[in-house]
Amino acid sequence: MDPSLSPVSIHYAIKKETWRHTVVLSFQSLGVVYGRLSTTPLYAFGSIDPCHIKSGQQIYELFSFVFWTLTIIPLLKYAFIVFKADDNGEGGTFALYSLLCRRANVGLLPSDTSATEFMHQEEGTPSNVKVESRARRAIGRYKSSHYLLLLLALLGSCLIICDGIFTPALSVYSATSNLRRSLSKLAPRFTSSENARQSVDKYLKRFIPVPVACAILVCLFMLQRYGTNRIGVFFAPIVIVWLLFISGFGLYNIIHHPQILWAISPTYMFRFIKKIDITSLKLLSNIVLCIAGSEAMFADLGHFSKRSIKVTFIFLVYPALVLCYAGQAAFFSKHLGTSDDVAHLSESVTHRHLQHVFTILSLFASLVGSQATITASFSIINQCQALACFPRVKVIHTSDKVRGQVYVPDANWMLMILSLSILIGFRDISAIANATGLAIICGMLVTTCLMSLILALQWEKNGVSLSVLFLLFFGSIEALYLSSCFLNFTKGAWCIVVLSLIFMTIMVSWHYGTIKKYEFDVENRVTVDWLTDLSPGLGVSRVPGIGFIHTNIVTGIPSFFSHFITNLPAFHQVLILLSFKSLPMAYIPKNERYLIGRIGHKEYKIYRCIVRYGYRDHVRDVNDFEDQIISSIGEFVTREERHDESLIVQEGRMIILGTNGNALVPIVGGESCQQVTDIENQNPTHTKRKKVRFVLPESSPKMNSSVRKELQELVDARESGTAYFLGNSHLKVRKGSNLLKQFLVMAYDFLDRNCRETPIGLDIPHAALLEVGMVYTI
């Protein structure tokens, strides 16, 4: 049985956040997280056809829905409840799923397998195991529930990615439509002919909204490579000015029409529901857009901090949005029927000159409004990839201070192409809004379901009751909006279903192929006895140097290496079986990152190293990775003599080590040319860095002579050079397999062959890399 990759307890040292740091992060979060929520007034009421409004009283009822939806969903549900379920500072659907994997043991990933027999050597680690609750036993008992939870997490991830496609198109298209209306109002100043004005308006409709929106979208996605920190600092002042502007005019309209304040009463909502019909129910699909960006608040949690995001929303974003919507609804109700554009936010800005200022501000604000979902998409793709649910793509960490700030170049260009395609294909703000609304509410329902399960597992006594109340209260509200969104299925919402199915197919097929490869490796692995006993018969020779064998299994010898030995009977003086294993948690502390063990007797000099990382860790691309492994093995050799011999003879018994060993003394000398990636231009460049050599510490009576000899052999092997063995395997379906299996394997094989990133995220020189090809028939 494979050893567990999760220690009983992992402790994280979380620095106390100062208020100064909170203010800085709050300022930056305005430019990234809250750009989406802040620009929802551009299209929430604006996407409503005034012909569907029966009276001004119905607008009051719709505002009551806006007020209470803003209060219940982003404020109560997310800021005060869901934020408490962060995974060590990380948010999103996969953060909730990782919590469930650890608390209910429902993980399906290869690295989630556990064995209670695993003995790890770590001082101060508690061994008390909490008694399982009934809810935990019920969830963990049925395998079908494990698959259901994974599909829920994948569905939520797909919806966030879809939101990152539609939101930029919707936000920017709304702003450029305002630009077209503003320019149309200037036409009478230059011509008095009605035909000329109509001709100008016709050309403006053709050449302004869509072409300008496409140009803005291209600029927006090109800015992503500069990282969250720079974008946040640049965009934050725009959001602040925008919020002050729209809240100021909202307050102005409230003063002139104070009756709108009565609509805060929930009786207006109940009055709307009491006389609801198909036409009025469809209006709710537009109202749900007022909470667009709430899910991104949670998904972007790792880019900032919980307190900074919560403080910014409660004290600035929420009151500004309430004032804006109240003022817009007041103006809309009093001027209903006067114009076809009366529902748009620009019309509630009554001052003529300030309308042009509003148009310019809305263009900049729409640029910012798309940032939250784009950033959330990067975070979700990074998490899915770390948990083997997304094809390999390059992930660039754009900040040394905040580990969660990432940029995914391939995903960025994919989002840009799809967003431009949606904009050019639909050319209709209502259709794009319908699709966006469906993505928003479906994503929130997924979060509600996962969060209700976490509540059931968190509190042993009242967890089930709290879980049911949470699910019924928030689920019923979101179900009402979901029904309204499905009424517009043929008017744009269908596109979300199609895109979600495509992304789900990619994720499920990649996860299926990864699992099947792992199972094949486990079933066809060989023991170290095969390697040592067969070597004399084959005439296997040991050559100087260190051989790193990359494998996904954590016991035994991978089948591709046995295939290599039978065809080329030679391997290195020192062998290190290297495995990278992701855990369903955000980060792994440096002092608990490596599991080091020995395979066979000491004279074989075969070691196993398991590198554990979280879905937010960035540990596989470090330049000195090889140095850390050698140092950790040296530390293992010295610590090994202090433990019982049974710990190291039996396969799977390992020691947890960090990166700060002192068994070998590193000496920096010489230079080596290494390929690194520049964050600014994303181009690989060659740079010279100091080469690290290792020497043994001065003679000490505490060090055994056999230990010193083994360390010296390790150092000599390092000086002779290193080589990396990598299995290049491909899946093949057995004859007679069902169509679903054939499709999933074909999809996985296509994605595997066309991945932009290598299976092992290290900059290995080509001269030191040896790939062994194999075909896995499943």
Side-chain angles (χ1 to χ4, degrees), residues 53-116:
I53 301 296
K54 300 175 182 178
S55 63
Q57 190 69 17
Q58 192 175 40
I59 298 175
Y60 278 44
E61 296 166 357
L62 291 176
F63 169 70
S64 184
F65 269 96
V66 170
F67 174 79
W68 286 106
T69 304
L70 276 173
T71 304
I72 293 173
I73 302 297
L75 183 63
L76 179 59
K77 176 186 170 182
Y78 282 94
F80 287 104
I81 300 178
V82 178
F83 274 20
K84 294 182 182 295
D86 67 300
D87 187 18
N88 296 295
E90 300 300 325
T93 52
F94 253 87
L96 297 177
Y97 177 69
S98 70
L99 288 175
L100 288 171
C101 286
R102 297 202 302 275
R103 293 179 181 177
N105 193 24
V106 296
L108 294 171
L109 305 174
S111 56
D112 291 337
T113 57
S114 60
T116 57

Side-chain angles (χ1 to χ4, degrees), residues 626 673-676 684-686 722-726 728 756-760 762-772:
E626 187 178 302
C673 186
Q674 191 166 28
Q675 179 176 298
V676 298
T685 59
H686 292 275
T722 58
Y724 288 83
F725 295 85
L726 182 64
N728 189 2
R756 298 288 301 275
E757 193 71 359
T758 57
I760 176 172
L762 295 173
D763 296 324
I764 303 173
H766 290 290
L769 178 62
L770 180 61
E771 294 189 70
V772 181

Side-chain angles (χ1 to χ4, degrees), residues 86-88 90-91 94-96 98-99 102 379 382-384 386-387 582-587 613-617:
D86 67 300
D87 187 18
N88 296 295
E90 300 300 325
F94 253 87
L96 297 177
S98 70
L99 288 175
R102 297 202 302 275
S379 299
N382 182 36
Q383 295 175 17
C384 292
L387 296 179
S582 64
L583 298 182
M585 55 184 63
Y587 302 104
Y613 61 96
Y615 56 78
R616 285 290 198 175
D617 269 326

Side-chain angles (χ1 to χ4, degrees), residues 546 548 574 576 594 596 609 624-637 663-664 692-694 711 714-715 717-718 722 724:
I546 298 178
F548 287 93
V574 176
I576 301 175
Y594 299 104
I596 307 294
C609 176
D624 58 347
F625 174 81
E626 187 178 302
D627 302 332
Q628 294 178 9
I629 296 295
I630 301 298
S631 178
S632 298
I633 292 178
E635 183 68 16
F636 165 79
V637 172
L664 297 175
V692 177
R693 298 177 61 250
F694 289 100
L711 290 177
L714 182 64
V715 171
R718 169 68 189 278
T722 58
Y724 288 83

Side-chain angles (χ1 to χ4, degrees), residues 388-417:
C389 294
F390 199 85
R392 297 183 301 271
V393 291
K394 180 183 291 185
V395 176
I396 298 174
H397 289 245
T398 58
S399 174
D400 295 330
K401 298 179 180 179
V402 183
R403 291 181 290 183
Q405 296 184 359
V406 295
Y407 166 62
V408 186
D410 294 334
N412 182 60
W413 305 127
M414 176 194 70
L415 293 176
M416 184 188 74
I417 293 172

